[in-house]
Amino acid sequence: MKKMRNTALAAALGAAAVAPVAGHAQTATPSAYVNAPLAAPVAPSRPHGHCGIFETCSSTKIGLGKGDFMIRLSAVGVLPEDRDSKVWLDGKALPGARIKTTNQVMPELTFEYFLTDNISLDLIATSTRHEVAGEGGALGGKTDVGSAWVLPPTITAAWHFRPHKRLNPYVGVGGTMMWFHNMNASGALGLTKLNSGFTGGPSINAGVDYQLVGNWFFNFDVKQMFVRMHAWAENGSETTKVRAHDSLDPTVVSAGIAYRF
């Protein structure tokens, strides 16, 4: 009996000695998970539909088509042709005399709206300053007449060959109205007053749009205008009067950047 009690006591003491070890083993295993390094955070995804102004995204419409509206800023060169000039002095024709007008480069603003995928209307707004001179015939060499600013609003209907394509060439027809303002006589030949009538005529053009990125486009355009100028100059007492007709017929070349809204 005594031997059995000793055996039971030894077993109890052994279990007590093993229990802390087991308990420690049970708590040690979960700690490995608690202390494990966390994974690097994942950057939040961009909201659906967002696209930067200088990005081409899946939502960006390729090319141009019905309903598109564009504003274009260009550098424009106005190159008068002076095809046919006639000059009169006090009502008498001066054989061989002609008018020459200088070229000019200025900024140009254009507004364009697409009525259909293929047809657009555009309006250009710019103003250029030109020097005017007379030469030949009784005038002899070059004689400075003066300077004038011209405002030639031009509206054009254009046919675009490749709607909804990055490269989209076009041709168009339209009309130009020319208003001459801030005219100043040079004082040559005693002439101190310079004036011109309001005039206009048809125009044709050809060009191309190319989509660069997002809604940004590059444009190159050439217009040929058919416009005559009627001008006259007088001295202060109006005793001397020079009158001139000139087929300006300017070629207008422009290149610029457009944004589609």
Side-chain angles (χ1 to χ4, degrees):
M1 189 70 173
K2 182 179 180 180
K3 184 176 180 180
M4 290 178 64
R5 284 199 304 268
N6 290 338
T7 301
L9 180 60
L13 291 175
V18 173
V21 176
H24 177 72
Q26 290 174 359
T27 58
T29 300
S31 66
Y33 295 97
V34 172
N35 296 327
L38 296 175
V42 178
S45 60
R46 180 176 294 179
H48 179 71
H50 175 81
C51 186
I53 190 171
F54 294 109
E55 294 180 313
T56 300
C57 305
S58 58
S59 59
T60 302
K61 184 167 68 171
I62 300 302
L64 295 163
K66 182 179 179 180
D68 285 341
F69 174 70
M70 290 207 304
I71 296 179
R72 182 165 65 243
L73 181 63
S74 306
V76 59
V78 181
L79 317 173
E81 300 292 340
D82 298 314
R83 297 183 192 276
D84 179 31
S85 297
K86 293 181 176 61
V87 181
W88 293 264
L89 175 61
D90 295 330
K92 296 180 180 180
L94 298 179
R98 57 181 288 109
I99 297 296
K100 293 293 291 183
T101 311
T102 58
N103 302 331
Q104 185 60 275
V105 176
M106 292 290 284
E108 174 190 79
L109 194 62
T110 303
F111 304 93
E112 185 172 17
Y113 180 75
F114 280 74
L115 301 174
T116 71
D117 284 345
N118 296 96
I119 300 174
S120 73
L121 290 177
D122 75 69
L123 174 68
I124 67 170
T126 188
S127 188
T128 56
R129 181 182 181 275
H130 301 269
E131 299 286 340
V132 182
E135 63 181 24
L139 297 175
K142 181 179 178 181
T143 301
D144 290 332
V145 174
S147 64
W149 284 82
V150 58
L151 179 66
T154 301
I155 188 166
T156 303
W159 176 269
H160 299 258
F161 293 95
R162 304 180 74 234
H164 305 301
K165 303 292 183 182
R166 286 188 179 276
L167 184 68
N168 191 358
Y170 60 85
V171 294
V173 295
T176 300
M177 301 301 293
M178 281 195 171
W179 175 50
F180 297 89
H181 59 101
N182 292 343
M183 304 185 72
N184 297 293
S186 67
L189 304 177
L191 303 175
T192 57
K193 300 178 182 178
L194 182 61
N195 293 283
S196 179
F198 187 75
T199 187
S203 65
I204 58 174
N205 76 312
V208 62
D209 289 305
Y210 180 74
Q211 190 170 7
L212 297 171
V213 61
N215 290 311
W216 294 94
F217 292 77
F218 171 78
N219 174 267
F220 179 77
D221 184 274
V222 179
K223 287 183 172 66
Q224 181 62 56
M225 302 175 180
F226 303 94
V227 181
R228 290 185 64 84
M229 178 182 69
H230 309 280
W232 58 93
E234 300 171 330
N235 61 6
S237 59
E238 299 184 2
T239 56
T240 300
K241 184 173 183 178
V242 176
R243 184 166 55 92
H245 290 178
D246 184 27
S247 294
L248 289 172
D249 296 346
T251 300
V252 179
V253 181
S254 65
I257 300 297
Y259 187 79
R260 186 248 318 272
F261 292 90

